[in-house]
Amino acid sequence: MTNETNAALARAKRFALLAKLAPLIFLLGLVVIFTALEPRFLIPLNLFNILRQVSIVGIIAVGMTFVILIRGIDLSVGSLVALTGLCAAVVAKGGIDGGFIEGTGFHWSLAALAAIGVGTIMGLAQGMIVACLSVPAFVVTLGGLTIFRGLALALGNGGPVSGFSADFGWWGRGLVGPVPVPVIVFAVVAFVGYLVLTQTRFGRSIYAVGSNPEAARLSGINVNRVTILTYGIIGFCTGLSGFVLSARLNSAEAVAGTGYELTVIAAVVIGGTSLYGGTGGVVGTVIGALLTGVLINGLVLLQTSPYTQQVLIGLIIIAAVAFDAFIKRQSR
């Protein structure tokens, strides 16, 4: 190998390492900046608040990581959070005022099963349309965004369902020691997602499909099956998040989850998962979710306008995608 080739390889390795470490470096930088500007940022109560806020979005972001790894997208997650949260609420309450299942209500486990089941079924349905009918994921999930919000409005008669039992609410507001329960749920989901992607044949198939779908098909991977199951996974995560969010708020309504699409995709992309597929993972997504949570919390403490917060998140997404494209060019 020539000196020029060695230099090119060394440069590519440096860029690859920078791409992996960039989200963590940025996260640590934000922590230092916000701590300097607002000393209250580092108090334990605020840090646990950040973790609790991040956990709801983070659960969905784990599922979104799978989808983006296969070059997909899911714009329906915010609406599906509202629908699955209302499904859990209706089961837990035994119905709604003037509704169709009036009764005394059911155990929280059945409510959770209803939310997760509906989310998984809706995710699988979208995956089947994408895989079997070759409809672009953007179009399918954009339609899902409207459909699920409409179903949520119909299920809740346009109003909230609230007032759950203590054991239901524990999943959103409870503590295990000093750690909020939603944070533990997020950690478990992230750990399982990490194991699936790194230690299973299905995980390797996801990376193969995202890197080159045609090559994956020729190597014997059932691309349609991987696609459908991947959308089922994000549906599962969204249903679980809908249940936890309802428990945390002690209420479920059709407007819940509005804008989650932006925040979830931001967490995944900022965490280093490429929109071009085949590159990234759950560890980066966790860092990306923490980064967005720290950014929003710090801006709130600094009394920044919520409109400005949205602008900054959007700019960070653009910067993350541009950086990813730059790294790919340099690596080549």
Side-chain angles (χ1 to χ4, degrees), residues 115-194:
I116 293 171
V118 169
T120 303
I121 291 170
M122 296 303 180
L124 289 171
Q126 292 190 123
M128 290 180 67
I129 296 172
V130 171
C132 300
L133 300 182
S134 299
V135 181
F138 181 90
V139 175
V140 173
T141 59
L142 184 62
L145 180 151
T146 304
I147 292 169
F148 300 150
R149 190 70 69 181
L151 290 174
L153 286 165
L155 181 60
N157 286 335
V161 180
S162 59
F164 306 122
S165 62
D167 55 353
F168 184 107
W170 181 83
W171 287 96
R173 303 188 303 277
L175 298 171
V176 176
V179 183
V181 172
V183 177
I184 297 175
V185 176
F186 174 35
V188 171
V189 171
F191 181 69
V192 172
Y194 171 80

Side-chain angles (χ1 to χ4, degrees), residues 31-42:
V31 171
V32 171
I33 291 171
F34 286 134
T35 301
L37 294 176
E38 176 52 75
R40 292 178 300 167
F41 179 81
L42 271 187

Side-chain angles (χ1 to χ4, degrees), residues 36-55:
L37 294 176
E38 176 52 75
R40 292 178 300 167
F41 179 81
L42 271 187
I43 65 174
L45 177 62
N46 187 57
L47 294 179
F48 279 121
N49 280 338
I50 293 173
L51 292 174
R52 184 185 288 108
Q53 292 163 2
V54 161
S55 60

Side-chain angles (χ1 to χ4, degrees), residues 27-240:
L27 173 61
L28 295 177
L30 281 180
V31 171
V32 171
I33 291 171
F34 286 134
T35 301
L37 294 176
E38 176 52 75
R40 292 178 300 167
F41 179 81
L42 271 187
I43 65 174
L45 177 62
N46 187 57
L47 294 179
F48 279 121
N49 280 338
I50 293 173
L51 292 174
R52 184 185 288 108
Q53 292 163 2
V54 161
S55 60
I56 305 296
V57 169
I59 293 169
I60 309 173
V62 172
M64 188 69 80
T65 304
F66 283 71
V67 171
I68 292 180
L69 279 172
I70 63 166
R71 305 187 185 187
I73 198 72
D74 191 342
L75 302 177
S76 68
V77 291
S79 298
L80 192 54
V81 162
L83 176 60
T84 55
L86 274 165
C87 288
V90 168
V91 172
K93 295 287 289 185
I96 56 179
D97 294 339
F100 51 87
I101 320 178
E102 291 296 342
T104 57
F106 298 93
H107 194 261
W108 67 263
S109 59
L110 293 177
L113 184 62
I116 293 171
V118 169
T120 303
I121 291 170
M122 296 303 180
L124 289 171
Q126 292 190 123
M128 290 180 67
I129 296 172
V130 171
C132 300
L133 300 182
S134 299
V135 181
F138 181 90
V139 175
V140 173
T141 59
L142 184 62
L145 180 151
T146 304
I147 292 169
F148 300 150
R149 190 70 69 181
L151 290 174
L153 286 165
L155 181 60
N157 286 335
V161 180
S162 59
F164 306 122
S165 62
D167 55 353
F168 184 107
W170 181 83
W171 287 96
R173 303 188 303 277
L175 298 171
V176 176
V179 183
V181 172
V183 177
I184 297 175
V185 176
F186 174 35
V188 171
V189 171
F191 181 69
V192 172
Y194 171 80
L195 290 180
V196 171
L197 283 177
T198 60
Q199 304 297 322
T200 68
R201 179 182 296 178
F202 177 68
R204 291 189 291 272
S205 297
I206 286 176
Y207 282 103
V209 171
S211 298
N212 191 323
E214 183 61 20
R217 184 185 66 81
L218 293 174
S219 67
I221 295 174
N222 189 328
V223 175
N224 284 354
R225 177 176 174 271
V226 170
T227 301
I228 293 169
L229 290 178
T230 299
Y231 278 92
I233 289 171
I234 193 172
F236 175 95
C237 292
T238 305
L240 177 60

Side-chain angles (χ1 to χ4, degrees), residues 227-285:
T227 301
I228 293 169
L229 290 178
T230 299
Y231 278 92
I233 289 171
I234 193 172
F236 175 95
C237 292
T238 305
L240 177 60
S241 182
F243 166 70
V244 175
L245 179 63
S246 297
R248 179 186 168 194
L249 300 177
N250 195 34
S251 176
E253 54 186 324
V255 297
T258 301
Y260 272 27
E261 301 83 10
L262 172 65
T263 308
V264 169
I265 294 172
V268 178
V269 174
I270 292 169
T273 298
S274 173
L275 286 172
Y276 301 102
T279 303
V282 171
V283 174
T285 293

